[in-house]
Amino acid sequence: VNNPSKAHLLSYGKPVPGSLAFYGSDDGILRDFSNDPENLDYLKYYDSIVPQAICDFAKCAKEASDGKMAVGTFFGYVVTERDGTVRANYNEAQKVFECPDIDVIICPASYDLRKLKSTSGMRVPVDTLNLNNKLYIHEIDAATHLTHNNKFAALHGVPDDYMKNLDETTAYLRREIGMVLAKGQGYWLFDMFGGWYKDTDTMNEIERIRILADILKDKNTHNVSEIAFILDLPSNYYVSADSDYPMFQFQVEELNKTGMPWDCYITSDLFNERFDDDRYKLYIFPNLFKADERITNRINKLREKGKSVVFTHAAGYITDGGFDVTNMERLTGMRLKKCGFDSAKMALNVPGVDTKELDFSHRINAWREKQPEKKRVKFNMPPVFMVDEECETLGTLCENGAAGFGIKQRSDGGFDAYCACQPMPCEIINYLAKRAGAFEYTAPGTVIYANSGFITAYSYTGGDIEIKTPSECVLTDYFSGTEYASSPENGARLRFEPVETKCLLVNEQERKL
């Protein structure tokens, strides 16, 4: 870009700090840059270079085409990158998400969530893109049942399943594409090394899905999600890069199994004039470790509207002056105390929930499974905190019996909740969401993606599954043509085979019984 104003991108202009700019920690897995702000400055500079360059080139492309050409980029994998978000130059992705010269964002399907036992997942906050009028294209490149003899497909042997037959490939494709269509966004089937889809039956299935996408494109639908999952990119700078911290992707998997649709944003979206406060009943902040006054005030506005908010781990613990446990109460609404031990393992006691224990995730990133020498021995993620006041206790820390998971109902509506670790299981999120007033489409465990006119449901185990809808309607199975009556009180009972995805069209008119 021949522009002198961009010359600052060519050089940092200061001595580049060593690896401790990315690694090391000051309290457990967390960083305190108050004594070495130059390291934080470098990380922000490092993460700004790529998104700024993308925005600059996008502007050139727009100007060169007189604004007639759509501009797209692969970028912004902040949802399922774990500790790699900062190292991969994604942590200033907000610049790209909000750039007026970029029309399309593309990214591969989540590697961690591809397996048939999993749920599918997007690596970008797709609702941030919706909020900024961006088209999202979901790249689907998972190995299929046709790739067993392809030596290149073996490279995907860890993150992908080796699908045994057409039925498994079909279930996966319907699940992956149905997830995206429920968001009103697009997809791309990537024949990565050739032969991924080279089969008449597979291509016929792909054609049926394409027709479904065309139907939905012309169907008048709207968002029905009542759960907002909000990631904080600035807080990522304060997590040691070698911590293997289970940032978001495993929580995403549990959200997908909650039995309710949900939306994914970044904290800056809360200040977008198009953000709809009223739509959501439950707000989940999984990593808001450093919340400035502006964000704290914004969350208090949500409380004034009776919204329920959930925080996890070290929420509000980091300030410009260093670590401050007293600051956590200002953000979470609950008085917290730092524990003198490293384990966040707790015993749960949640009404109607069978899950008995909770701890930080013990799973390795799919690609790192190929590098066993890098597997962690311990999965403690200190510091650990407990609730230091009277509350409704949903979980007690095994080390001392104190409340590690607490909830406080507010007299003017809504509640504040805090959990010392993550991810929270789908049953727990379901409990919190229903308590906040969100509508449950199906019991936790079944994968649900939905808007007002379309529902995708996936079951790994199979069985009879009830799907309810917020109003009385008819659900039509797109692939079989079978119709089911559904309402808030009496849901449709559908029979699922093991590893099956159903795509249901919603008739918004009342059913004449």
Side-chain angles (χ1 to χ4, degrees), residues 369-388:
E369 287 183 17
K370 299 173 77 72
Q371 306 170 50
E373 73 279 1
K374 292 188 178 181
K375 287 186 179 180
R376 289 176 57 86
V377 176
K378 294 178 63 178
F379 285 86
N380 291 332
M381 298 289 171
V384 174
F385 302 90
M386 64 183 185
V387 182
D388 191 31

Side-chain angles (χ1 to χ4, degrees), residues 360-423:
F360 280 104
S361 171
H362 282 211
R363 286 183 291 170
I364 297 290
N365 174 278
W367 286 111
R368 290 189 66 179
E369 287 183 17
K370 299 173 77 72
Q371 306 170 50
E373 73 279 1
K374 292 188 178 181
K375 287 186 179 180
R376 289 176 57 86
V377 176
K378 294 178 63 178
F379 285 86
N380 291 332
M381 298 289 171
V384 174
F385 302 90
M386 64 183 185
V387 182
D388 191 31
E389 64 174 296
E390 185 177 344
C391 69
E392 181 181 342
T393 302
L394 302 181
T396 55
L397 293 166
C398 295
E399 290 281 348
N400 65 353
F405 192 173
I407 187 169
K408 285 175 59 178
Q409 194 72 37
R410 297 192 297 270
S411 59
D412 55 351
F415 60 77
D416 297 305
Y418 168 80
C419 184
C421 63
Q422 62 170 305

Side-chain angles (χ1 to χ4, degrees), residues 246 248 250-252 254 358-361 363 421-425:
F248 313 125
F250 300 141
Q251 189 64 82
V252 164
E254 295 300 320
L358 183 60
D359 200 352
F360 280 104
S361 171
R363 286 183 291 170
C421 63
Q422 62 170 305
M424 295 179 289

Side-chain angles (χ1 to χ4, degrees), residues 283-355:
Y283 287 79
I284 302 173
F285 296 90
N287 75 319
L288 191 50
F289 305 147
K290 188 176 188 298
D292 60 24
E293 196 72 22
R294 186 169 178 246
I295 291 178
T296 302
N297 291 340
R298 182 69 176 86
I299 292 173
N300 285 334
K301 292 292 185 183
L302 296 176
R303 288 190 172 101
E304 291 172 7
K305 291 188 173 185
K307 304 301 180 181
S308 297
V309 290
V310 182
F311 300 92
T312 64
H313 194 195
Y317 182 52
I318 302 171
T319 70
D320 288 337
F323 302 122
D324 184 357
V325 70
T326 63
N327 190 61
M328 300 178 78
E329 183 177 3
R330 295 181 61 249
L331 178 64
T332 66
M334 304 179 77
R335 188 168 67 246
L336 302 172
K337 181 179 180 181
K338 184 180 175 183
C339 300
F341 45 82
D342 290 347
S343 174
K345 185 177 181 180
M346 68 180 79
L348 293 179
N349 181 24
V350 183
V353 174
D354 292 333
T355 302

